[in-house]
Amino acid sequence: MYFPGLEGVVVKETKICHIDLENSKIYYRGYDLEELAERSTFEETAYLLWHGNLPRRSELEEFRRSLAQHRIPPSHVKDLLLRAPRAAEPIDVLRTAVSAMAFGEDLRDKSPQVELARGLKITGAMPYIVAAFDRSRRGLGPAEPAEAGSHAEFFLWALRGERPSPREARALDVMLIIYAEHSMNNSAFTAVTVASTLADMYAAVTAAIASLKGPLHGGANVDASLMLEEVGDAKNVERWVEEQLAKGRRIPGFGHRLYKRGPDPRLRVLRRLARDLAAERGDYRWVELAERLEEYVTAKLSQKGIYPNTDLYAAVIFRYLGLPVDVNLPVFAMSRVAGWVAHVVEYRQANRLIRPTERYTGPVGLRYVPVEERG
Ligand code: ACO
């Protein structure tokens, strides 16, 4: 049997995420993602994904406290990211910093509790890593806001050096919830593949970040943002899209391996969020541009099963939050780490080394010719 791209291949049983394509719903541990986006927080959602149940108040407080305790990474990681060349891509700095978090730790224990504790450390430190590198390349020292409340607020504050508005912090919080998990996507599969060898959580998350970087996966949110800039205005959409398609290019923020019969359910939340932020700013340019792109490309390509994906509106939201374009991608990683950690721990409960096979289509029996005789 040969399944290019492993499409349709079931690699594990899961209780983490269910995507109900028929009814356009996503569930994290049985809870409707739209309700979580409305009523939960990233911290609570991460707890839910990792432990399988919503935390009691005291458990949530403890979880928040522990996450916050790990906000400032170990000094060797800080040094590394502050010394990274300014031209480095933030996603590469994040990947390398997460990898370096393993240095010096005794990594032999792979029990779920210990791996979850590593997941907590990584998740806790990611916002600082992303923010401090961005500041460093702008010639600014790190900001370490001790008063910041939520994970999302801490990140925006550490990035800007000033407190974000509650609405901005909440908008980012919702983004972190929405992006936290999405079944066996490429990066989750990568994390699980690495974890199946019994390598540690740092190794699995580092590999997952590498996977996320690609433009067919998370990297599309950077491309989608650049597209918004290039198109510039809703009135240019038709011409721009036609030009791209004539050149045989794909439109970033459209198409998805799973959503071929209708748009991604997360779009409902993101579109609303984008509109709210636009209203707060009194600037509808980006959201109207995305809506026009959605309308035009859907009319043009839906017969091929192409609909907008989350990256289209995520790019709009990140623009309204004032994130540098290349920081969109590490923010995606800051969220999706919750799903990666959950999958690693779940897979290990019935671990089996992932080792697929391939069909050989090359020659056999070729005669070796010494290099001097090869002409
Ligand atoms: N724009 C224009 N045409 C597209 C697009 C697009 N964004 N995506 C797919 N198509 C076309 C393909 O060219 C192909 O056309 P053809 O049949 O005439 O050759 C057809 O739709 C089917 O495409 P596949 O490559 O088979 O679709 P697949 O399921 O493998 O790809 C993917 C999904 C990789 C996401 C693709 O749609 C894509 O490249 N999108 C742009 C990048 C993007 O937004 N990625 C983010 C994904 S979501 C995430 O990771 C958060």
Side-chain angles (χ1 to χ4, degrees):
M1 281 182 297
Y2 174 35
F3 299 95
L6 299 185
E7 192 164 358
V9 175
V10 175
V11 293
K12 78 195 247 291
E13 292 197 313
T14 188
K15 292 188 166 55
I16 299 171
C17 177
H18 174 53
I19 301 174
D20 179 351
L21 290 173
E22 287 301 309
N23 298 300
S24 184
K25 286 274 177 205
I26 297 177
Y27 298 92
Y28 289 176
R29 298 283 188 184
Y31 293 93
D32 185 341
L33 177 54
E34 282 176 74
E35 191 176 2
L36 292 173
E38 199 181 325
R39 303 179 63 185
S40 180
T41 59
F42 173 71
E43 289 87 328
E44 187 179 54
T45 300
Y47 184 102
L48 171 68
L49 290 169
W50 294 357
H51 297 281
N53 57 280
L54 286 170
R56 279 193 261 269
R57 184 191 292 272
S58 59
E59 289 169 329
L60 182 57
E61 275 163 15
E62 175 53 27
F63 187 77
R64 281 205 184 111
R65 231 189 339 268
S66 313
L67 202 61
Q69 259 168 19
H70 293 293
R71 278 179 180 161
I72 310 299
S75 55
H76 72 276
V77 175
K78 261 172 106 168
D79 287 350
L80 181 149
L81 66 97
L82 296 178
R83 282 161 194 252
R86 284 182 179 194
E89 289 186 35
I91 190 69
D92 294 342
V93 174
L94 178 66
R95 188 188 59 223
T96 303
V98 167
S99 179
M101 287 183 76
F103 295 176
E105 190 175 317
D106 183 341
L107 296 166
R108 283 170 297 183
D109 189 345
K110 310 286 168 39
S111 61
Q113 304 84 298
V114 172
E115 287 284 67
L116 278 175
R118 291 186 185 122
L120 187 94
K121 270 194 206 171
I122 298 170
T123 307
M126 280 173 132
Y128 181 93
I129 294 170
V130 178
F133 172 66
D134 183 64
R135 289 177 68 79
S136 157
R137 67 182 176 167
R138 287 186 279 137
L140 301 169
E144 300 181 2
E147 320 86 275
S150 72
H151 203 61
E153 185 186 39
F154 175 82
F155 171 68
L156 289 174
W157 199 336
L159 185 77
R160 298 173 178 177
E162 58 187 45
R163 180 174 233 148
S165 75
R167 192 189 282 261
E168 287 175 316
R170 179 59 189 156
L172 182 64
D173 196 25
V174 173
M175 291 292 292
L176 297 180
I177 296 170
I178 285 283
Y179 266 133
E181 161 58 16
H182 199 232
S183 80
M184 227 359 54
N185 53 83
N186 192 293
S187 53
F189 179 58
T190 302
V192 162
T193 302
V194 171
S196 81
T197 67
L198 302 187
D200 56 84
M201 188 63 85
Y202 300 107
V205 173
T206 303
I209 297 173
S211 146
L212 192 72
K213 184 181 177 188
L216 296 188
H217 191 11
N221 77 13
V222 174
D223 293 344
S225 188
L226 294 172
M227 167 182 71
L228 294 178
E229 206 167 275
E230 203 180 313
V231 181
D233 193 284
K235 70 177 180 337
N236 302 331
V237 162
E238 189 171 336
R239 182 176 48 80
W240 188 86
V241 170
E242 291 302 335
E243 273 170 18
Q244 299 306 302
L245 295 178
K247 288 180 198 155
R249 295 201 185 134
R250 292 183 175 203
I251 314 297
F254 286 86
H256 198 283
R257 181 59 65 76
L258 292 181
Y259 303 110
K260 298 208 181 275
R261 279 184 288 156
D264 185 324
R266 297 171 294 181
L267 239 63
R268 292 191 285 269
V269 178
L270 295 181
R271 215 187 277 109
R272 230 176 11 245
L273 198 58
R275 279 243 149 223
D276 285 353
L277 286 171
E280 189 188 47
R281 282 182 165 52
D283 168 11
Y284 289 85
R285 175 180 170 202
W286 300 119
V287 72
E288 283 176 358
L289 175 45
E291 285 169 353
R292 178 69 188 125
L293 275 162
E294 173 174 5
E295 184 186 37
Y296 189 76
V297 177
T298 306
K300 181 109 193 148
L301 296 179
S302 59
Q303 81 284 359
K304 264 195 191 181
I306 305 297
Y307 295 91
N309 62 48
T310 47
D311 290 330
L312 181 63
Y313 285 96
V316 171
I317 292 163
F318 288 148
R319 279 193 172 269
Y320 285 133
L321 289 177
L323 297 190
V325 172
D326 57 3
V327 168
N328 294 359
L329 184 49
V331 171
F332 185 178
M334 271 165 45
S335 161
R336 185 54 61 84
V337 65
W340 297 331
V341 169
H343 281 290
V344 165
V345 171
E346 183 179 68
Y347 188 79
R348 286 260 186 74
Q349 283 165 9
N351 193 61
R352 182 158 169 81
L353 176 72
I354 293 180
R355 202 301 184 193
T357 189
E358 58 189 345
R359 187 193 294 151
Y360 180 68
T361 59
V364 290
L366 298 182
R367 198 175 62 81
Y368 180 81
V369 180
V371 68
E372 319 70 73
E373 295 170 26
R374 283 177 216 158

